[in-house]
Amino acid sequence: MEGHTAATNENVHVTRRVSRRDMVKHEIDFLRDDPSTMTFSRRAALHLMSRYSWYNPRLPEQQREHAEELDGMELPSWHSCTDQDEDDHDRAPSSNYIEMDETSTEGSFNQSMLRSPVRRERPSLEKAWAYYEHVTLPRYLDHSSTIVAMARDSGHERKSGNTETWSTNDDTLSSCGNDNDNGRGGSGCTRSVRVEKRNHLLSIWALEQHRKERQQKQHEQRDTSKKNVTSNADHGDTTNPLGEFCYLDHAASKEEVVMDLAEPGEDQYPTKLYSPLRTPMNQMGDFGLGVGLYFTALRAITILAFVAGLINIPNMMYFAGDEYSAGQEGVNIMFTLRGSAVCTQEGFVPCPSCVLDDFADVPHRIATAASAYSEEDLIFVMKNYCDGAKFWPLGLVNFATLLFVICGLMRINRHLKEQEVKFDEDEQTAQDYSIVVKNPPPDATDPEEWKAFFDANFGHGVHVTCCTVARDNYLLVRALVRRREILQRLKWKLPPGTLLDVPSLIAIVEDFERRRSLFDSVKSWVIPNVPELLKQLMSVNAQVKKMASLDYPATRIFVTFETEAAQRNILNHLSVGSRAVRKNDQLTLDDPRHLFRSKLVLSVNEAAEPSTIRWHDLSNRYIERSLKFVLTAYAWACAMVLVAFIVRICRLRSAKFAAYAIAFFNSTFPELAKLLVGFESHPSEGRLQTSLYVKIAAFRWINTAIIVKMITPFPSTIGSGTDDLLDGIREIFVAEIVTSNLIKFADPMGFFERHYLAPRASSQEEMNSHMRGEEWHLAERYTNMTKILFLTLWYCSIYPFGFFLCALALFINYFAERFSLMRTWRRAPRLGSYISKISRLYFFTLAVSAMAVSCSYYWAGFPYDNLCENDSAGGNYNALQYYIGSWNVVSIDGSNSADVTVSEGDPSYRFCQQSLYWYGKGFAFPAIPNWQKEGDEWMTKEQELLTSFYGWTSFVLVVAVLLWIIRISIRAIFYRKNYESCGEDQGIPFSDVPSISSYVPEVKSELFSYPLLAVDTDGIDEELYEWKDPDKPYSYYDLTRDARQILNDSKIPDDGIKSHFSTVKHWPPN
């Protein structure tokens, strides 16, 4: 036992955690889950499938079979406490999916994949729902259940009132009489098994003690830094000035809950489903730093928007008052436009010099009346009488909101950095112990060489535990994956017991072709049948044989150390700027021993999480990646132009139609963005998500806010009609609050797949494929949050109530997405904090800059009617004489009519452009009064003061942001990178962390429930994998066995075949 214990005759005092290698393993039968721990969907499905054939079409067949045969369909139980079972403790179970040949070795792919099952596999809905809850949905290790169960099994009793000592009865170490292990054990247990059980118990207990000590230390630090902490501090993070949603505070226990994310398919230790309501915020990091930081940011921005709404109450009161628009009579209160800049005080005024083309885009605002003095009609134009450019309260309150948002986002940025440290310290993952070498020599493919380099040259205490050498073999791996998928489809199409080797398939195809009809031949063009699959199989086999003669150089090296200190030490020594790496500047390093092979400056970074590595994209070079990025950027721009054109057409019909078109494109464009990003090359899921984030966020920002402004006629900005700008913005908020969240909660596609398609699947793999949950992307979630925030900030000057709608939308999103994350979405890679950093460094700052710029233009645009009053001595005086009298005017489009009376001395008006967005022939920036043309000044003195103040503020802010972004980019490119660790070293060895994994190359396929492994699985510790199939061994998913099978008749030795694949080497500490 690695952990040190001090023992007396009666008690065992634990002073250090026991290694996970010493933990005893107890297999758990997923089919026997307690119904009270199941999801409602699973309980309902289990009820329906056993009673109604309309839900379960196989029910009549199942009812005819004997109960004992049904019992035989349960998941296997591996473990028992007999001596024989102890010898076979690590043996994998025989597959329930494939009937093995008597001569085949257990788990051998060569036999299992080349033969269709001897008898037809019977898909099990019970297994599929167990797969859904134990593989698709996230679960955490239930340490309390483990301690109770192991204490009962091993005879340990906790001393009353003593939390630091466990009492051990020595008699229990010599007898297993009480350990029946669910009826599978007995008195035949050996001492080694009993000791393993005791060590497992002590390990779990020590882990709890370590966490409690760490939490106590954190609470003491909080008490020291903040003396006024209330008694509610135990409910959450009291250092968070933005607070916690109250319900979640009360839902969490008084003591800080600690959860550890279980691996998919974990069947050795008890697990529980995460609760969407009761999972504390400090445990959201279990799903990855990126997810934890996203929900932290979502909560914080919700509170920020709500407080900003409170600040804007004076502006809402002014807009809704008598001074602005006579109380905005007739304005809708629901999802309210009352309190916005909607102007209801408007009327037709004489405009003798106006022509119809001046207001062609707003025909309801220009009207005519028959003249009694000439054949030409008199022109009247709608004028707004609302003064919305007041320095007080409107300007100052809006500027105070800008300052608050800037300060709030800065505080959120700091808060996210603090939470990143806490999440990182709470979760021990492979990333905390690992580095990646991005520029290895092509021939540096021996893990022993890398281990020797790091162990010998970086001081005492450095121990390499794992090393993965990734090779540039994507084309070979892709061909093998394709071959495996073809074989899987053939198995599903052919009768049970069919041998799937090429000679047998050729004979089958010859018979198949004789019986094939014309319809079958035509259908095979769309849905390949056995002959087409055989051709594909033979083609793939030929490709693999051809690629077997190639050399595959090393492209990435992943090195995992036993301690965090070793990883940080090496990152501190080897972190240099990209310029130094490109030039191989050896003087950059302090010690010449840190040069690999005494000549190469290594490009070293902290490795991403194992589940985020995109193994097939590691080989792409910088030029190739850049070219693909340029092509996808061009495609994005074309899509943006096309969407703007379509939205413009919809806007011409109605504002509501345009709002739903915008919502439609916001929801569908991510699918196009995923295709574009899939064409790009990214070494990790974090980089891919960042590219996806930029594309979707830019699209949604432009589509939701900017395009709406561009396609809306300027005079319709503050109009009260349903086709005007503010009503369209209100419709967008309603769609975000209601439609998108209802879809998340209902999960219609997932419901259809699980409850309709899955019961009708023909195989277990197909049934499981319908239980994988909806694929989701963290980038899309971030863009949804920033889109709503950007929409609110862009229109906050004329629609201050949008802050409350933003807070409501994000509040509902918070709970809807927690529910989806823990109940309907499939597991996603555990992303790091990269997207969060990009969001808060760039998108938040750009959003604030956009707020300042847009507000300056909105204040400059009042009164939004494109009319300037004529002087009484102007040239239009004589023309005005024809307007004196009473007239019935009708708008050009016939939608508006009014009775207008013009008296002697009433003013007349002329057309003058009031929009500085596009003033004259160009874009006027900043929005200041100086841009007004002489003779066409429309701003009041107070408006000029407000516009000048806001315009120059926006100019300074934009320049500062641009300089800051340039500074960050230059530092990243030309200067040495100083590694900064995140959080404190927890002092926990890599080999002692439960549920930890390493870097094992794998490829996902939609036809398999688990990833396919692009590495030789022989000799790899099962603890290094991130998942476990309870039915098949890891060798079943080993693609190197496919290569051996294809190259069996070649002269390539086995070691030569292995050299075509990545290598994983494990050196556990002594």
Side-chain angles (χ1 to χ4, degrees), residues 231-470:
S231 60
N232 291 330
D234 288 334
H235 290 283
D237 179 8
T238 59
T239 64
N240 176 15
L242 300 175
E244 175 78 81
F245 288 145
C246 297
Y247 189 88
L248 293 181
D249 284 337
H250 292 290
S253 60
K254 290 186 177 181
E255 292 187 1
E256 216 168 298
V257 179
V258 177
M259 300 174 177
D260 285 319
L261 183 70
E263 295 178 354
E266 175 63 66
D267 65 346
Q268 297 174 1
Y269 312 112
T271 60
K272 286 184 177 180
L273 289 168
Y274 285 86
S275 170
L277 289 178
R278 298 185 178 275
T279 300
M281 176 60 76
N282 61 5
Q283 295 302 308
M284 295 302 293
D286 289 5
F287 307 94
L289 280 178
V291 174
L293 293 174
Y294 166 70
F295 280 100
T296 302
L298 185 59
R299 180 186 63 178
I301 292 177
T302 301
I303 298 172
L304 175 75
F306 182 77
V307 175
L310 296 178
I311 295 174
N312 276 267
I313 288 179
N315 282 10
M316 299 179 208
M317 295 177 64
Y318 175 83
F319 283 136
D322 294 334
E323 183 178 355
Y324 176 72
S325 185
Q328 294 182 331
E329 183 179 355
V331 175
N332 185 14
I333 298 179
M334 186 64 180
F335 290 99
T336 185
L337 285 178
R338 183 172 295 180
S340 70
V342 168
C343 181
T344 58
Q345 291 296 101
E346 54 189 9
F348 285 104
V349 295
C351 187
S353 62
C354 291
V355 296
L356 298 181
D357 290 342
D358 292 336
F359 298 89
D361 52 354
V362 281
H364 64 285
R365 296 187 66 89
I366 184 169
T368 60
S371 172
Y373 306 100
S374 67
E375 295 181 357
E376 295 184 359
D377 292 336
L378 301 179
I379 303 298
F380 292 82
V381 178
M382 186 77 71
K383 177 170 178 55
N384 296 328
Y385 294 101
C386 301
D387 185 5
K390 292 285 188 180
F391 198 83
W392 171 259
L394 298 178
L396 288 182
V397 169
N398 186 245
F399 188 76
T401 305
L402 174 64
L403 296 180
F404 171 76
V405 170
I406 293 174
C407 295
L409 290 178
M410 292 175 63
R411 182 63 187 92
I412 290 175
N413 180 40
R414 180 181 172 187
H415 177 60
L416 290 174
K417 290 181 179 178
E418 296 170 352
Q419 288 299 110
E420 181 180 350
V421 173
K422 293 178 182 179
F423 286 141
D424 184 72
E425 291 180 346
D426 184 69
E427 298 298 321
Q428 294 298 114
T429 63
Q431 183 180 23
D432 298 319
Y433 301 88
S434 304
I435 64 170
V436 57
V437 179
K438 297 182 177 180
N439 63 334
D443 60 343
T445 58
D446 185 5
E448 295 287 351
E449 181 182 10
W450 291 100
K451 175 177 172 58
F453 170 72
F454 287 109
D455 284 353
N457 298 317
F458 291 90
H460 179 71
V462 175
H463 173 78
V464 174
T465 302
C466 297
C467 180
T468 299
V469 177

Side-chain angles (χ1 to χ4, degrees), residues 893-911:
D893 62 355
S895 63
N896 201 358
S897 63
D899 293 328
V900 179
T901 300
V902 180
S903 304
E904 185 78 24
D906 286 349
S908 66
Y909 296 85
R910 67 185 184 279
F911 173 83

Side-chain angles (χ1 to χ4, degrees), residues 511-737:
D511 181 66
F512 192 91
E513 290 286 4
R514 288 194 297 268
R515 295 183 290 104
R516 173 180 277 187
S517 64
L518 178 62
F519 175 76
D520 292 334
S521 300
V522 175
K523 187 174 69 172
S524 65
W525 297 347
V526 180
I527 305 175
N529 212 320
V530 177
E532 290 73 31
L533 292 175
L534 176 59
K535 292 179 182 179
Q536 296 174 14
L537 178 63
M538 297 176 67
S539 175
V540 170
N541 287 345
Q543 292 177 21
V544 173
K545 290 180 179 180
K546 184 178 179 180
M547 289 185 285
S549 61
L550 303 177
D551 293 328
Y552 297 99
T555 182
R556 291 287 195 278
I557 310 297
F558 296 89
V559 183
T560 302
F561 301 93
E562 184 62 17
T563 62
E564 289 185 82
Q567 181 232 32
R568 298 181 180 194
N569 173 35
I570 289 170
L571 286 174
N572 281 323
H573 283 97
L574 297 184
S575 294
V576 296
S578 57
R579 187 165 178 253
V581 172
R582 288 196 303 270
K583 293 182 175 295
N584 196 34
D585 185 0
Q586 300 180 4
L587 298 178
T588 306
L589 298 178
D590 300 328
D591 191 335
R593 295 181 303 169
H594 298 163
L595 295 170
F596 186 71
R597 294 179 176 175
S598 302
K599 62 181 179 181
L600 179 64
V601 176
L602 295 178
S603 176
V604 176
N605 293 98
E606 184 179 51
E609 290 292 346
S611 62
T612 68
I613 303 300
R614 293 171 56 85
W615 299 96
H616 56 281
D617 279 344
L618 296 180
S619 58
N620 294 109
R621 299 296 182 259
Y622 177 78
I623 296 178
E624 182 181 352
R625 293 199 304 268
S626 301
L627 178 60
K628 289 182 177 180
F629 179 78
V630 171
L631 293 176
T632 56
Y634 177 76
W636 176 91
C638 293
M640 190 76 258
V641 172
L642 178 62
V643 168
F645 176 75
I646 296 175
V647 173
R648 169 65 176 172
I649 294 176
C650 296
R651 182 64 179 79
L652 293 176
R653 180 172 180 178
S654 71
K656 180 175 291 188
F657 199 57
Y660 283 102
I662 290 171
F664 171 77
F665 285 118
N666 280 339
S667 61
T668 57
F669 179 80
E671 299 304 319
L672 174 61
K674 293 170 189 175
L675 293 176
L676 296 177
V677 172
F679 175 75
E680 299 173 351
S681 299
H682 298 280
S684 69
E685 195 69 26
R687 298 288 179 174
L688 180 142
Q689 292 288 325
T690 301
S691 177
L692 186 63
Y693 176 37
V694 172
K695 289 178 174 60
I696 299 178
F699 176 87
R700 284 178 166 175
W701 284 21
I702 296 173
N703 185 48
T704 305
I706 300 177
I707 285 183
V708 174
K709 175 60 182 174
M710 292 176 62
I711 67 175
T712 301
F714 179 78
S716 297
T717 301
I718 60 174
S720 59
T722 57
D723 291 335
D724 293 320
L725 175 66
L726 289 176
D727 190 72
I729 300 304
R730 179 184 65 85
E731 293 287 352
I732 294 176
F733 273 114
V734 172
E736 291 296 335
I737 293 172

Side-chain angles (χ1 to χ4, degrees), residues 804-878:
F804 287 127
L805 296 180
C806 174
L808 178 60
L810 295 181
F811 180 81
I812 298 175
N813 278 350
Y814 180 85
F815 290 100
E817 292 179 358
R818 281 174 64 103
F819 173 83
S820 299
L821 177 69
M822 301 176 190
R823 289 296 181 269
T824 61
W825 289 343
R826 71 174 62 176
R827 293 199 189 206
R830 300 179 70 183
L831 297 176
S833 59
Y834 193 74
I835 295 182
S836 176
K837 292 178 181 178
I838 294 295
S839 182
R840 62 181 187 254
L841 289 179
Y842 297 102
F843 281 84
F844 285 174
T845 54
L846 291 176
V848 171
S849 302
M851 174 186 177
V853 171
S854 65
C855 288
S856 65
Y857 282 98
Y858 282 122
W859 295 131
F862 276 96
Y864 291 99
D865 52 20
N866 281 342
L867 291 176
C868 291
E869 184 176 344
N870 292 319
D871 295 334
S872 58
N876 290 319
Y877 177 76
N878 293 330

